[in-house]
Amino acid sequence: KIKIRNRSKRSLRSQSLQLPINLQQRAPPNVTNKMSGIKLSGDSSATTGGMTVREMTRLERIGAHSHIRGLGLDDGLQPRKGGSQGMVGQAKARKAVGVIYRMINEGKIGGRAILLAGKPGTGKTAIAMGLAHQLGENTPFTTMSGSEVFSLEMSKTEALTQAMRKSIGVQILEETEVMEGEVVEIQIDTSFASGDNKPGGKKGGMEKTGRLTLCTTDMETVYDLGTKMIDALSKEKVTAGDVITIDKASGKITKLGRSFSRSRDYDAMGSQTRFVQCPEGELQKRKEVVHNVSLHEIDVINSRQQGFLALFAGDTGEIKSEVREQIDAKVVEWKEEGRAKIIPGVLFIDEVHMLDMECFSFLNRALESDMAPVLVIATNRGITNIRGTEYKSPHGIPLDLLDRLMIVSTDPYTHDEILKILSVRCEEEDVEMADDALELLARIGTETSLRYAIQMVITASLAAEKRKSAQVEIEDIKRVYKLFVDVKRSTQYLMEYNKEYMYNELDDSDEHAVDNGDEEADKKEDSMETSP
């Protein structure tokens, strides 16, 4: 219970307010240990008395597509040059996906399907990840592989249904009463209570009481705080000058930022400090809160006895169709009343040729539903058999589903584009590489594959560190090239020593290919030796 003494220029009134406190656990402190494959960014260091103190503000995992920040398009959907947002090349494909992004963002598309088709290593997954970053956090984006459908402990159609409902977001609008203002002062008093006054003869302990002063541009209010409210303020690390909101229904405290009036208090702010204006008007006001959930989360909450805790267990199991029908009817009712908004997201299925005829038939029917997301699929197969059948089809996809797809093709990267991609990856992995070494690595990527060249970036950096060099040189690239073979050299080695392996089958035509492969390998070794 919080007693409020409100001092205003117009009136002086007293009121009492019940605040059930719902404390939230804060995230664990930042880990400062040095980990493999983790980039430390946003750190600041200071030297005091011979000791270096470094503040680690963010840990970021370096992945295959961690350098992708978006599609790299301008307002006219034209690709920017120079590796904007980590995207290089594939101008036509990016423009086509940019049109899809604009239609999704404006809510004019749903139940459509896009196919990204191209040879391996042409940036299909990178374009899909760029679309996910471009859409933002409020638009659901679900990623899965075609083989995941067969490894889950549920039917194939149920796995696809859950994936599609994860990709449909629901924005639930709710009005709540909050207190919003700038913290002027926090006073906390600690006293020792005797055990005689406590029921059950319990021993006395420390009791905390305090006062919280909040203000806006028009008024100022003093609150008497209890122990739970003091603990909530301490966990959120609220200090004088912070702008906070207190939910009257749940007692949840949210720190919005720091007031602009305290912008000169350099000791009380860091590099990540956010400054906001002091609120205006009354302290107590009604606010519209938006809750972003997916249809799958609503399904799990309403189909399990443990409610939302089933989401953390991971084992959601199969959900009855009756439950989904009732939820869909309720969501449509909320939409008509203006209490909810449906956001069709994106379901991205990589390696879609791994699906069978049953899955393709389900997707063909699911795209006709009103509650259908935008389906983006990718494959690197040509004309091949549909899984589980002897029928051949382009990309291993049935023709009736291909008719529904908007196909976007990706082209192989040129030498200059590979050079730019490797430069972006070096910057992402914090690797200093000489220009001639980068040119040699780009040539290797052109002759072998882009993925092989990208894998050589960090290994060449480790080779340079071993000889205590801060920059990767040509000798490091050559050393790594000899240690780790690419697919072509590995295949040639297997065919040459095939008889020494178990269960080998090699006919005369393959032996003739081995001889030709040896000649190509010798030429490549000679070119490596004569490179500058």
Side-chain angles (χ1 to χ4, degrees), residues 1-2 4 6 13 15-22 174-180 214 221 223 229 244-254 282-287 289:
K1 185 175 181 181
I2 298 179
I4 302 176
N6 195 342
R13 64 181 184 271
Q15 55 182 326
S16 60
L17 175 67
Q18 292 285 346
L19 282 182
I21 305 301
N22 182 14
E174 180 185 5
E175 282 192 357
T176 182
E177 292 188 1
V178 298
M179 295 180 294
E180 182 178 5
L214 291 179
T221 305
Y223 297 87
M229 200 66 179
I244 64 173
T245 60
I246 303 175
D247 191 347
K248 292 176 64 175
S250 62
K252 179 183 176 182
I253 298 176
T254 305
E282 296 284 338
L283 272 168
Q284 300 186 33
K285 58 188 70 174
R286 297 189 65 86
K287 216 171 187 181
V289 181

Side-chain angles (χ1 to χ4, degrees), residues 105 135-140 168-174 288-295 297-298 330-331 334-344:
N105 207 26
L135 289 172
E137 297 179 355
N138 293 331
T139 303
I168 302 174
V170 180
Q171 281 188 350
I172 302 175
L173 308 178
E174 180 185 5
E288 190 178 72
V289 181
V290 179
H291 302 280
N292 293 309
V293 294
S294 66
L295 281 180
E297 293 173 348
I298 302 177
K330 195 65 177 178
V331 170
W334 287 351
K335 180 183 177 182
E336 293 176 353
E337 295 176 356
R339 297 171 52 190
K341 182 180 178 182
I342 300 177
I343 304 176

Side-chain angles (χ1 to χ4, degrees), residues 13 15 40 155 183 256 268 318 348 362-363 376 451 494:
R13 64 181 184 271
Q15 55 182 326
L40 303 178
S155 64
V183 179
L256 302 179
E318 296 199 8
F348 174 60
F362 173 79
L363 289 177
V376 179
R451 294 173 178 174
L494 288 177

Side-chain angles (χ1 to χ4, degrees), residues 158 162 295-308 310-311 315-324 326-327:
E158 176 66 19
Q162 292 190 10
L295 281 180
H296 176 67
E297 293 173 348
I298 302 177
D299 295 343
V300 174
I301 291 173
N302 288 275
S303 64
R304 295 290 179 268
Q305 293 182 354
Q306 59 267 39
F308 72 95
L311 295 170
D315 185 15
T316 58
E318 296 199 8
I319 300 173
K320 297 181 179 180
S321 59
E322 293 82 3
V323 176
R324 291 196 172 108
Q326 295 176 3
I327 291 173

Side-chain angles (χ1 to χ4, degrees), residues 31-47:
V31 181
T32 57
N33 294 335
K34 184 177 181 181
M35 301 180 184
S36 175
I38 292 181
K39 182 179 71 174
L40 303 178
S41 58
D43 57 337
S44 59
S45 59
T47 305

Side-chain angles (χ1 to χ4, degrees), residues 408-419:
V408 179
S409 61
T410 55
D411 301 324
Y413 289 109
T414 63
H415 176 80
D416 294 337
E417 291 172 348
I418 291 178
L419 183 65

Side-chain angles (χ1 to χ4, degrees), residues 423-489:
S423 176
V424 172
R425 289 301 301 180
C426 289
E427 182 179 354
E428 178 71 14
E429 300 180 15
D430 293 332
V431 175
E432 294 289 337
M433 186 173 295
D435 294 339
D436 52 355
L438 187 63
E439 178 66 30
L440 176 61
L441 190 60
R443 202 176 86 192
I444 293 175
T446 305
E447 295 177 356
T448 58
S449 68
L450 175 62
R451 294 173 178 174
Y452 175 71
I454 291 177
Q455 298 291 342
M456 291 179 65
V457 172
I458 190 64
T459 52
S461 175
L462 295 175
E465 288 182 5
K466 187 174 182 181
R467 61 181 184 86
K468 297 181 180 181
S469 175
Q471 191 179 43
V472 177
E473 303 291 345
I474 288 183
E475 56 181 299
D476 302 315
I477 301 294
K478 289 183 178 180
R479 182 181 180 185
V480 173
Y481 183 80
K482 293 179 180 179
L483 289 177
F484 304 99
V485 297
D486 57 282
V487 177
K488 292 181 180 179
R489 287 186 290 163

Side-chain angles (χ1 to χ4, degrees), residues 150-162:
F150 303 94
S151 60
L152 299 175
E153 296 180 356
M154 61 182 72
S155 64
K156 294 176 285 187
T157 56
E158 176 66 19
L160 290 174
T161 302
Q162 292 190 10

